[in-house]
Amino acid sequence: MISDYKKTYQEMATLIGEQRTSKLFEMVKSTKYDFSMRLYSKQYCEYYILKHKDHTEPRILALELGYSLRFVQDVIKEKRSLPTNYDEGTITMNKYNGIYQLFYDLFGERVVNLIYDNLRGSTVYFPSKLHSKEYAQKKIAENMDRLNVRELAKLTGYSERSVRRMINEINDDE
């Protein structure tokens, strides 16, 4: 249930769903990411500009890619044309900047666009715990009569010391 997640993961689950959030958690926990204002990598933009320069205006290219008109004009001026030995089938560049590429690799373009529309320009810290303390306490209370501290720690993802502390809090409340 989304409400059982820590706040950051609640927001992600709302955007991309619980199953994808669990997969994302395994990849990014305890990490801070900057969600760039620019979705596409410079290398991809240069390729895109050169490929479309003959039939699309530079200002349109700048709008499509989220880069300045000056950047587009400089690429056109400096690079003249795509290499003659270029083959689209062997393209090895990342299309997206930073964390957006990870989202693309994991979940595809639709999710990348959702994330970009909602998080661009933000810095997000992904906590090392997926579930909230309240959820962990609920799970501990439900299982503390049949599982030992080590098993409860494994179940909740919290340390044995934290589990003991939560057990004491649960016992004090009763």
Side-chain angles (χ1 to χ4, degrees):
M1 179 180 262
I2 290 176
S3 62
D4 293 333
Y5 293 150
K6 288 195 170 251
K7 187 175 184 319
T8 300
Y9 294 115
Q10 284 180 8
E11 292 172 15
M12 293 305 297
T14 301
L15 287 173
I16 66 174
E18 288 184 64
Q19 187 176 15
R20 288 181 176 139
T21 300
S22 293
K23 186 175 180 180
L24 178 68
F25 167 74
E26 294 303 321
M27 301 287 294
V28 299
K29 60 185 170 188
S30 296
T31 310
K32 180 181 99 172
Y33 287 101
D34 293 319
F35 287 84
S36 172
M37 290 295 289
R38 293 202 168 117
L39 180 60
Y40 301 110
S41 70
K42 259 188 170 175
Q43 185 183 16
Y44 173 77
C45 288
E46 289 173 356
Y47 158 75
Y48 188 87
I49 291 164
L50 294 173
K51 184 173 180 187
H52 294 91
K53 71 178 180 164
D54 295 331
H55 54 277
T56 307
E57 291 181 42
R59 66 179 182 77
I60 301 296
L61 291 171
L63 285 172
E64 287 176 352
L65 298 170
Y67 280 76
S68 69
L69 178 57
R70 169 153 351 275
F71 172 77
V72 173
Q73 290 169 335
D74 288 348
V75 168
I76 292 170
K77 191 185 310 177
E78 293 170 16
K79 301 275 181 159
R80 301 272 182 242
S81 64
L82 287 170
T84 54
N85 62 350
Y86 186 80
D87 175 17
E88 279 194 52
T90 61
I91 194 166
T92 58
M93 73 182 87
N94 287 335
K95 181 176 182 179
Y96 299 104
N97 269 328
I99 185 71
Y100 299 119
Q101 187 65 42
L102 174 67
F103 276 92
Y104 177 76
D105 292 344
L106 289 174
F107 309 120
E109 195 144 0
R110 187 175 107 5
V111 170
V112 168
N113 290 324
L114 270 172
I115 297 300
Y116 177 72
D117 290 343
N118 288 280
L119 296 176
R120 72 175 161 226
S122 302
T123 298
V124 177
Y125 172 73
F126 290 95
S128 60
K129 306 282 187 270
L130 178 62
H131 293 101
S132 66
K133 182 180 177 185
E134 293 76 22
Y135 174 81
Q137 286 176 324
K138 185 176 101 177
K139 283 295 183 193
I140 289 169
E142 290 171 359
N143 295 293
M144 66 185 203
D145 295 332
R146 61 182 190 82
L147 298 175
N148 64 34
V149 172
R150 177 173 280 147
E151 293 167 328
L152 289 169
K154 191 171 188 172
L155 174 71
T156 61
Y158 282 78
S159 69
E160 290 180 29
R161 182 178 179 182
S162 294
V163 169
R164 282 191 198 89
R165 191 176 329 117
M166 288 185 221
I167 289 171
N168 289 336
E169 289 173 12
I170 291 167
N171 289 335
D172 289 346
D173 289 343
E174 291 175 354

